[in-house]
């Protein structure tokens, strides 16, 4: 081992530092028996220069608001990141060699189990749109000298449309504190990329979106240093440093060869020797400037909107009203829109707090990615679009859950109840999608006051909080002082003689109530539950209903798979005796029709519920 | 009514035809009481010129392989499309006025319930990537004079990353038979678009991706005519006709005004008068050239791969082998890849049938969209990527289901069983996503022979077929002549004394078998079901198992929400007495570890299953 305690800040040492990063990447992958050393080696010089000369980061205080942020968008190059953490003194060499092993923080792809990793990466094309959110948030802290966001992208991932959404948005917002570093090593997983070493292809796309671009030899540390310095000086827009690199650079057995993706180098010892042996350089990473004194948020009482019982209000309207109120009470709450704020009613927040409202146009991946990035810098984002279109951002929600990000997502225009617009606009799979995210909270209120309270509750929920809202107006069922704890439910009809239980949420609560009234008139008392908390669901109340009535009918404006019916079934999936269960849900592909006709056609309206109850009991 | 039977082919009549389309859009929306007339009116001149002068289409034979195709990517402008269908004589004026009404084929957004609509639109940003698939397929029919694909895009939807994926791919493939018409009316739903009337902004982006561009006044029919003619002459790459238009053009009460999106014009009679009144022009749309004689596919016997019982094979390998065999038997089978064919093993198909293999790089939205487009032109696409990354294309799958498209999708690297790569690469929500698609078929084979048979079965399945494959090798359980009908299952262990049932699929089948053997040794006989058909699930066998054993334990390498546990629960969701149910599934966010450690940590390995059985029975 070539042990040296010399600092690697000097340019003369940058090549040595880069070599160390390569060696450590090779060592980590060899110890693991898997991993991506070749993808790490192409970016080693870029990382060495960034770490030693440009990044401003306090490893002892990762939340420092003045910290630059580094996002490894090409998350499979994690050995490079971990080698950099070692060089910066954040982890030991011993820990480096735990890479990919059971229990190690050094996972195959980076996750926030490491305090210096803000967001999980590994699904390509996510780092840059998340970086856009970070850059927007950093400007809020310090408009004059905002922290810089550095995102290291692979060339393969530039094919993802989400990257284009980020290029568009960053250019539009003139994010001078955002630098994309594109590691153009020419080789993807399967073979050559679409553009190979045509750096101009990437430059033209970025320029078309209003970016500055710098093309550079990605293995010339002086040229890289100058490129990063230029990027730092530019403040009127984002900069892409487009670097020509060689995959597997430095190890002749793998350099620029196909078929060498995602596996350890064939002979690690030989490779390490070729790279000049093991080093022990350490880097003193620049500290950020003293934290800008944050104006302490004035503590304000949350004054939620109030709706009169018996009046009609759309829960989407209540979402907008409540979000506006939440924004008044908490200065870190921001609202994000996908060009439908007039429909989701996030427009109310925009009117009241225009400086905390972010328009992302019709780009749902960027919408959710920005929320994730903003959350990493301490904001509390609420992102809203039609429930149907959240499916566009499913992979971003999945990765956000892996990051254990705490953001709130609102899906409006749920279900067939939207009416005439037809199936393309109907959120019918969103509960399945959001429930399956690990650590998520899913609520689906049936009235305005419930909506208001649940918006407030989600502002403190861990993980991804999802609120599903309805387009049309529905009767206000609850008083404004009613509590709506996460994991709770409301029992709207109940008697000792109940012969079955109707479990509903959102718009079907009103259908269930109407059905219960009809049945009551026929001498058939039934229990009605409003399961506004779909995940976690109120298992205690369900167990009691099962014991009391023996039969639960779930009614949902959603597919039968993965939604409310599944949530209720799961409450009995621990081996206990189960009640009889019946699911009423949307089976076929709807067409256009009025909301009432839609509910009828789907078999989830009051008449269908009453018929089902009669059939089951008769 | 200004009735005239004159043909509108002459340029002098194009303005009149455009006015008729506007009037009919206004009338349809007025009759419906909802809809998007203003978005229709901006594109009316573009549509008039296309219909009367450039489109080659046989309305009596929509499947004609020589037909041009028209995709209304801005699906909310459906009144414009339906007005065009009326002008072409495909529908009557009476039917036009059924727009958005219960039972009408003229839905709020177009769907293939109309024979001249190939794919459902209404989720923005989908038409162009689907058009890319159509253009690729059209080249297969006639390389010299392929049918032309015309896609009318809105300007708002150009913000979607999926549009960029299409621009990239079409440019890369030099799709000379693809024309995008961009209706730049400056106003989105909520307000002005990002680029307003800056036609150059769109041109620069398209040009950067290798497109020809033509900027045009979208209300000058002569200029439009010339632009479309130029686009038709260009054959070395795709062309974007970028048209400056006015939203609500022709009606002063709404023209170029904010707040007029998605609603009927305030006074229809006044608007119709301002537009010159109702007309009854008809258009004789050009017929396509005589259909190219298709080489009749040589009928070849399907010779599926065969694996020896007792040997080990990864189901992903069997997928590749079977797809290769299917390609040999059926010449309309094509394979689509998202730059991971070496991992999904679709590479086997590539090697055998390179001319029917399509590489879309890392752009999963384009991957699925192309499959949808190709299917519309008669191909039978199999699209594969990691199961985790299919979430990227969730909205495309949702819309494909609304289109009732018959395509097959393969998700490889399912579950925690992939091991060290960690959670970003693990498909853990895919069953929930795919099950919730209406009309889908979902299979998850446990061995190579099952995989081969299920690949063949999915080639004839209606709707979206999904096959989930496993990264690592697993023992071959079944003989090569075993049948695997959709909706079936395999009972691997069974006796009259079974005390509970283990229901598994894919990798957990092997864990369940190992657990059953251990329990058998302890004198606890249990039944083991391989539920390879997750949707539809084998309800009959499940009902029998419930009756025989009283308790079913589901074991899945997936989240507990929406997957196998839900499928089994749904088999008892018709009010019948249910057995006791227990779900073993992946609860937390995994880290990196070996496959065995992952299964153990998730509590879905043989030991966990056996422990659960003992606990439940003891």
């Amino acid at each position: 081992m070539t042990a040296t305690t010399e600092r690697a800040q000097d340019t003369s040492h940058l090549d040595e530092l880069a070599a160390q990063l390569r060696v450590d990447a090779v060592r980590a992958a060899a110890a693991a028996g898997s991993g991506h050393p070749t993808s790490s080696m192409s970016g080693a010089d870029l990382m060495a220069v960034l770490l030693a000369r440009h990044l401003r980061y306090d490893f002892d205080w990762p939340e420092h608001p003045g910290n630059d942020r580094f996002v490894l968008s090409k998350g499979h190059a994690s050995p490079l990141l971990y080698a950099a953490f070692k060089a910066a003194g954040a982890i030991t060499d011993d820990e480096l060699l735990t890479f990919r092993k059971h229990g190690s923080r050094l996972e195959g792809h980076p996750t926030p189990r490491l305090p210096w990793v803000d967001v999980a990466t590994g699904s390509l094309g996510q780092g840059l749109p998340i970086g856009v959110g970070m850059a927007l948030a950093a400007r809020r802290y310090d408009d004059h000298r905002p922290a810089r966001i550095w995102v290291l992208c692979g060339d393969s991932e530039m094919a993802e449309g989400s990257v284009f959404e980020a290029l568009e948005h960053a250019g539009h917002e003139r994010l001078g504190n955002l630098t994309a570093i594109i590691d153009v090593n020419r080789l993807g997983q399967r073979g050559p990329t679409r553009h190979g070493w045509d750096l101009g292809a990437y430059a033209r796309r970025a320029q078309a979106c209003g970016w500055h671009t710098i093309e550079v030899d990605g293995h010339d540390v002086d040229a890289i240093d100058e490129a990063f310095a230029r990027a730092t000086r530019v403040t009127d827009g984002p900069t892409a440093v487009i670097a020509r690199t060689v995959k597997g650079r430095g190890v002749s057995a793998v350099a620029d060869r196909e078929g060498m993706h995602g596996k350890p180098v064939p002979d690690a010892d030989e490779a390490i020797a070729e790279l000049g042996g093991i080093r022990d350089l350490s880097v003193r990473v620049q500290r950020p400037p003293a934290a800008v004194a944050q104006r302490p948020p004035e503590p304000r009482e949350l004054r939620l909107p109030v709706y009169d019982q018996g009046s009609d209000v759309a829960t989407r309207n209540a979402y907008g009203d409540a979000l506006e109120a939440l924004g008044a009470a908490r200065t870190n709450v921001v609202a994000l829109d996908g060009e439908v704020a007039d429909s989701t009613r996030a427009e109310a927040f925009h009117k009241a707090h225009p400086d905390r409202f972010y328009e992302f146009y019709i780009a749902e991946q960027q919408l959710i990615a920005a929320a994730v990035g903003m959350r990493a810098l301490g904001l509390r984002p609420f992102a809203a679009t039609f429930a149907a279109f959240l499916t566009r951002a499913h992979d971003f929600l999945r990765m956000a859950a892996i990051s254990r990000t705490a953001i709130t997502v609102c899906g409006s225009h749920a279900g067939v109840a939207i009416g005439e617009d037809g199936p393309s606009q109907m959120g019918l799979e969103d509960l399945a999608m959001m429930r399956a995210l690990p650590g998520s909270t899913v609520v689906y209120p049936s009235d305005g006051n419930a909506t208001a309270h649940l918006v407030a509750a989600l502002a403190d929920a861990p993980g991804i909080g999802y609120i599903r809202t309805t387009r049309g107006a529905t009767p206000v069922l609850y008083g404004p002082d009613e509590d709506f704890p996460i994991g709770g439910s409301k029992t709207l009809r109940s008697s000792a003689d109940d012969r079955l239980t109707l479990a509903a949420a959102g718009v079907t609560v009103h259908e269930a109530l109407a059905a219960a009234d009809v049945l009551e008139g026929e001498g058939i008392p039934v229990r009605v539950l409003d399961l506004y908390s779909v995940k976690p669901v109120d298992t205690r109340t369900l167990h009691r209903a099962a014991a009391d009535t023996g039969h639960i009918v779930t009614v949902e404006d959603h597919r039968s798979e993965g939604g409310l019916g599944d949530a209720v079934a799961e409450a009995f999936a621990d081996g206990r005796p189960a009640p009889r269960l019946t699911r009423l849900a949307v089976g076929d592909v709807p067409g256009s029709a009025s909301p009432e006709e839609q509910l009828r056609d789907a078999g989830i309206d009051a008449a269908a519920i009453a018929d089902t109850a009669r059939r089951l009991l008769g």
Side-chain angles (χ1 to χ4, degrees), chain A:
Chain A
M1 183 181 286
T2 310
T4 162
T5 55
E6 284 204 57
R7 296 295 180 181
Q9 251 67 21
D10 299 334
T11 306
S12 58
H13 287 128
L14 290 174
D15 283 322
E16 278 298 294
L17 177 60
Q20 171 172 313
L21 297 179
R22 289 191 171 90
V23 167
D24 284 350
V26 167
R27 292 170 64 224
S34 66
H36 294 256
T38 58
S39 298
S40 299
M41 290 149 81
S42 64
D45 303 290
L46 297 163
M47 180 67 96
V49 176
L50 180 65
L51 192 71
R53 308 259 307 175
H54 296 277
L55 189 73
R56 301 180 305 178
Y57 191 83
D58 187 341
F59 277 87
D60 296 324
W61 183 7
E63 301 81 16
H64 189 311
N67 270 347
D68 284 358
R69 303 287 173 143
F70 175 76
V71 180
L72 183 72
S73 188
K74 48 177 290 187
H76 53 289
S78 55
L80 176 62
L81 184 69
Y82 304 149
F85 287 167
K86 183 198 125 180
I91 64 169
T92 65
D93 195 65
D94 284 348
E95 183 167 11
L96 177 72
L97 299 180
T98 67
F99 177 51
R100 284 176 167 248
K101 292 201 171 70
H102 188 250
S104 173
R105 301 187 294 179
L106 308 188
E107 299 187 33
H109 298 76
T111 75
R113 287 176 70 185
L114 286 162
W116 320 286
V117 173
D118 293 304
V119 292
T121 52
S123 181
L124 290 169
Q126 301 214 3
L128 198 59
I130 290 171
V132 167
M134 291 177 168
L136 288 166
R139 284 210 301 212
R140 296 194 67 82
Y141 285 110
D142 185 349
D143 196 26
H144 299 293
R145 202 189 170 193
R148 180 159 295 277
I149 314 301
W150 305 87
V151 182
L152 181 58
C153 303
D155 47 353
S156 277
E157 68 177 316
M158 300 302 286
E160 283 284 9
S162 56
V163 173
F164 171 75
E165 295 181 9
L167 291 175
E168 272 285 32
H169 202 76
H172 177 72
E173 291 277 356
R174 300 182 174 275
L175 292 176
N177 60 331
L178 177 65
T179 306
I181 307 165
I182 310 176
D183 179 0
V184 184
N185 66 23
R186 174 187 96 76
L187 290 174
Q189 169 176 327
R190 179 176 170 257
T193 60
R194 184 182 266 141
H195 299 301
W197 271 323
D198 180 3
L199 303 192
Y202 299 105
R204 285 190 296 277
R205 284 154 180 78
Q207 287 163 9
C209 295
W211 285 54
H212 302 279
T213 62
I214 304 170
E215 298 176 33
V216 68
D217 174 351
H219 302 308
D220 178 338
V221 293
D222 292 317
I224 295 167
D225 189 35
E226 170 56 23
F228 289 172
R230 278 176 58 196
T232 308
R233 285 194 299 268
V234 172
T235 57
D236 66 343
T239 300
V241 176
I242 305 167
R244 185 187 197 279
T245 63
V246 174
K247 195 163 178 170
R249 162 84 169 191
V251 176
S252 47
V254 297
D256 197 33
R257 292 206 189 178
E258 292 192 39
M260 295 298 171
H261 179 94
K263 53 184 76 162
V265 300
D267 186 327
D269 290 337
E270 196 174 277
I272 292 165
E274 188 178 350
L275 289 164
I278 297 171
R279 294 161 181 80
D280 191 20
L281 292 165
S282 69
V283 174
R284 191 184 61 247
V285 174
Q286 292 176 73
R287 299 294 170 98
V292 177
Q294 298 292 309
R295 218 176 11 166
E298 294 165 35
R300 289 203 198 156
E301 192 191 351
L302 174 59
R303 302 190 61 164
L304 288 175
V306 165
Y307 306 98
D308 292 336
Q309 271 175 289
S311 68
D312 286 344
V313 64
T315 56
R316 61 171 170 152
N317 289 21
Y319 171 79
D321 296 344
L323 189 58
E324 176 190 340
L326 190 68
R330 300 197 191 184
T331 54
N332 71 335
V333 168
V334 290
L336 289 73
D337 176 37
E339 230 267 81
V340 287
D342 50 335
S343 288
T344 64
R345 306 302 200 218
E347 195 63 38
F349 185 100
H350 173 239
K351 290 209 174 99
H353 318 290
D355 63 314
R356 281 185 276 145
F357 177 86
Y358 291 89
E359 178 57 76
F360 291 94
Y361 299 95
I362 307 181
E364 294 81 4
Q365 297 182 85
Q366 177 61 78
L367 172 71
I368 298 300
V372 172
M374 289 176 167
R375 177 62 196 158
L377 269 73
L379 298 176
R380 187 78 207 192
F382 280 66
T385 185
F386 283 32
F389 305 142
L390 285 171
T391 55
R392 207 62 160 257
H394 190 170
D395 196 30
F396 283 79
L397 292 163
R398 183 182 73 87
M399 291 298 294
I402 292 171
S403 289
R404 300 175 195 271
T405 305
I407 60 173
T408 306
V409 178
C410 171
S412 71
H413 293 69
V416 300
I418 65 163
E420 288 80 359
D421 272 335
S424 64
Q425 317 296 302
M426 295 171 175
L428 285 169
E429 299 85 2
D430 55 313
L431 292 177
M433 175 174 75
M434 303 303 296
R435 285 184 65 246
L437 299 175
S440 65
T441 301
V442 178
V443 301
Y444 181 20
S446 62
D447 90 342
N449 289 322
T451 304
H453 283 278
L454 289 167
V455 166
L458 289 182
D460 294 318
I464 296 172
Y466 177 58
I467 181 164
R468 186 183 212 227
T469 64
T470 300
R471 178 176 180 273
T474 49
V476 176
L477 299 173
Y478 303 108
D481 297 326
E482 192 104 26
D483 276 337
F484 291 87
I486 302 294
S489 69
K490 295 292 173 189
T491 301
L492 291 169
R493 296 279 189 282
S494 181
S495 78
D497 304 321
D498 290 339
R499 297 187 58 197
L500 58 68
T501 299
L502 302 176
V507 72
T508 59
V509 168
H510 305 280
E511 301 298 323
L513 286 171
D517 291 345
V518 169
L519 293 166
E520 178 75 41
E522 298 171 11
I524 308 174
V526 300
R527 188 164 300 181
V528 178
L529 303 183
D530 176 355
L531 297 180
Y532 65 81
S533 181
V534 178
K535 180 186 176 187
V537 77
D538 185 351
T539 50
R540 246 183 75 191
T541 297
L542 286 168
H543 294 166
R544 193 177 322 120
D548 290 351
T549 73
H551 199 138
I552 301 177
V553 179
T554 56
V555 196
E556 60 189 309
D557 194 355
H558 184 274
R559 300 280 167 214
S560 66
E561 297 90 355
L564 192 69
D566 185 25
V568 170
E570 213 184 337
F572 298 94
D574 57 355
R576 74 179 57 227
R580 293 176 187 240
L581 292 171
T582 299
R583 293 188 190 186
L584 300 184
V586 180
D588 204 354
V589 176
S592 283
S594 70
E596 296 70 28
E597 291 165 335
Q598 298 277 15
L599 293 171
R600 188 188 67 207
D601 286 1
I604 55 172
D605 67 349
I609 298 168
D611 282 349
T612 301
R614 289 185 204 104
R615 181 175 54 76
L616 291 168
L617 297 171

